[in-house]
Amino acid sequence: GHTDDLPINTPEFPSNWALSSARAAVVVNQLMSNGIDPRRMAAIGYGEHHPIADNRTEDGRYQNRRVVIVLMSNAAARYKLSSGDRVEDFDAPRKTVSGTAPGAPAEVGKP
């Protein structure tokens, strides 16, 4: 999750870091509710620290308010599987999901 560089300080989001983390968590929760195994996901908030556009313009700030989804080709390799886990669980067909997180742009930009 990412934000623009305009400071935020609300009861729900006391910082840009909190907002970006919440933005990422919303996407992870949506994917999980659509059948993606939560053991395969992580939500990370970067705040305003990784902009892809100029924060001096409204369009640039809009582009910086985003969630980036990173897909890895061999997710099972990241885990030490216990004797009870089955590799098939990681390779099962998955549902697709559409939409955006609150405050995120409709299009995903390049990381």
Side-chain angles (χ1 to χ4, degrees):
H2 301 269
T3 67
D4 59 31
D5 69 349
L6 298 178
I8 188 169
N9 186 3
T10 67
E12 188 176 7
F13 305 115
S15 68
N16 279 337
W17 211 299
L19 174 58
S20 67
S21 297
R23 208 171 258 163
V26 166
V27 172
V28 165
N29 282 315
Q30 184 66 40
L31 292 170
M32 185 174 63
S33 71
N34 280 277
I36 304 296
D37 186 340
R39 295 175 296 172
R40 298 184 67 183
M41 298 183 287
I44 301 170
Y46 290 103
E48 69 272 22
H49 302 290
H50 295 273
I52 59 169
D54 189 346
N55 275 305
R56 292 177 292 184
T57 68
E58 180 57 39
D59 184 57
R61 288 188 298 275
Y62 178 82
Q63 291 178 55
N64 288 330
R65 296 179 213 123
R66 69 196 190 282
V67 170
V68 175
I69 297 175
V70 177
L71 302 175
M72 300 180 79
S73 63
N74 191 3
R78 297 184 301 160
Y79 299 94
K80 291 186 178 193
L81 300 176
S82 67
S83 59
D85 289 328
R86 298 186 332 236
V87 173
E88 302 85 75
D89 292 342
F90 292 102
D91 296 327
R94 305 296 180 194
K95 297 178 185 176
T96 59
V97 66
S98 61
T100 58
E107 297 179 17
V108 177
K110 294 181 182 177

